[in-house]
Amino acid sequence: MVPQLEELIRDSSNIVFFGGAGVSTESGIPDFRSVDGLYHQKFDYPPEVMLSHSFFMSHTEEFFRFYREKLIVHGAKPNAAHLRLAALEREGKLKAVVTQNIDGLHQAAGSRCVYELHGSTLRNFCMKCGKSYDIDFIDQSQGIPRCTECGGIVKPDVVLYEEGLDPATLDGAVRAIQAADLLIVGGTSLAVYPAAGLLQYFRGRNLVVINKQPTPADRMASLVLNMPIGRALSADSE
Ligand code: NAD
């Protein structure tokens, strides 16, 4: 626990959390840009190419190979950061989690108001008839997953690079950030736009950044914590 952070949490009544892949690394899911993140593993293309709309359209089978191997995660559980954020929501202090993550771990921890800017691997739908499928369907299919009803390609409900964000999700996230008195930004390099641009809507009193590496938001922050987010958000004293 970090006393300065706990003080800010105590004095705030409308907290919003804005996070990214670093929130889930302590659950065993690699991020993109840390030294042991996906960028530093060996693939023919960088993740941002393999997770782009044009790559999906032109190299569909290869997309699903990468997707099954790297983005479908088995057995990951919410960590101390997810659990504390869910607890703060139950206490009525935290009003929303805005996440760039696609792993569903905030909801698994018990968070209810979650704006998933980049969608979720847990939802998948047929591009032709719209029939929905769970994550196991994608995981257990071979090659390109096909709809059992119409044969269309089943696409993860994940926002690929070059694709736009869902307007309703974006709108909800902007409203939550605008209304916040404390914005906690954590586990994100703030390198992915338009998601990172949402910070400009914050008008509240205190911005806290919890990230292992420096971020562009550090200079606007009341408090910057360069430490593991699970440790920073843990309510227990060590
Ligand atoms: P990023 O990889 O660009 O940045 C992650 C940041 O988190 C880094 O700056 C790193 O220093 C920091 N970090 C890593 N572990 C941390 C920890 N335990 N405590 C504190 N900080 C930690 O991630 P991004 O900004 O979210 O952007 C990448 C894009 O890829 C996003 O769209 C994201 O949703 C997606 N992605 C999602 C997942 C997931 O759903 N878990 C995983 C990988 C990538």
Side-chain angles (χ1 to χ4, degrees):
M1 98 164 351
V2 178
Q4 301 104 296
L5 176 59
E6 294 306 315
E7 201 172 306
L8 290 174
I9 290 174
R10 200 188 53 227
D11 295 345
S12 305
S13 56
N14 191 330
I15 304 172
V16 170
F17 179 79
F18 178 95
V23 176
S24 292
T25 54
E26 290 166 51
S27 295
I29 304 176
D31 63 10
F32 277 2
R33 292 175 185 80
S34 295
V35 275
D36 49 353
L38 284 178
Y39 266 177
H40 301 270
Q41 301 178 6
K42 285 201 178 66
F43 283 97
D44 291 346
Y45 308 90
E48 278 171 0
V49 171
M50 300 191 87
L51 294 173
S52 67
H53 183 78
S54 45
F55 192 86
F56 174 81
M57 298 305 282
S58 60
H59 297 71
T60 314
E61 203 164 339
E62 208 169 342
F63 168 89
F64 277 108
R65 218 178 311 129
F66 176 76
Y67 185 86
R68 282 193 195 93
E69 195 178 323
K70 290 294 159 196
L71 292 207
I72 294 186
V73 190
H74 297 276
K77 297 215 165 41
N79 62 51
H82 298 105
L83 293 171
R84 180 74 193 286
L85 293 167
L88 287 171
E89 185 182 27
R90 281 196 298 276
E91 290 161 28
K93 282 193 153 284
L94 184 134
K95 303 301 179 192
V97 167
V98 179
T99 184
Q100 300 166 85
N101 291 350
I102 53 177
D103 54 33
L105 287 182
H106 285 293
Q107 291 92 331
S111 286
R112 296 171 74 93
C113 185
V114 182
Y115 295 104
E116 294 177 309
L117 296 172
H118 295 158
S120 173
T121 55
L122 304 189
R123 299 185 297 268
N124 305 274
F125 61 90
C126 171
M127 292 173 81
K128 220 155 131 195
C129 74
K131 184 174 159 61
S132 59
Y133 289 90
D134 63 14
I135 191 167
D136 293 338
F137 180 82
I138 304 285
D139 192 28
Q140 284 152 23
S141 57
Q142 305 285 319
I144 300 172
R146 296 276 177 186
C147 179
T148 53
E149 301 282 322
C150 74
I153 297 174
V154 179
K155 184 176 185 285
D157 188 9
V158 163
V159 180
L160 300 176
Y161 291 96
E162 302 161 358
E163 293 178 344
L165 305 192
D166 173 61
T169 306
L170 198 52
D171 186 56
V174 167
R175 283 168 194 271
I177 291 171
Q178 275 172 335
D181 57 2
L182 169 61
L183 180 64
I184 305 175
V185 175
T188 172
S189 62
L190 295 174
V192 178
Y193 278 79
L198 292 184
L199 263 56
Q200 69 180 312
Y201 293 100
F202 179 59
R203 297 279 175 272
R205 276 182 297 150
N206 292 298
L207 173 71
V208 173
V209 177
I210 309 168
N211 208 63
K212 281 186 178 169
Q213 293 161 349
T215 79
D218 293 2
R219 59 190 178 83
M220 280 108 65
S222 321
L223 178 64
V224 176
L225 300 171
N226 294 128
M227 63 194 288
I229 192 158
R231 184 142 62 86
L233 281 176
S234 163
D236 305 330
S237 40
E238 291 176 7

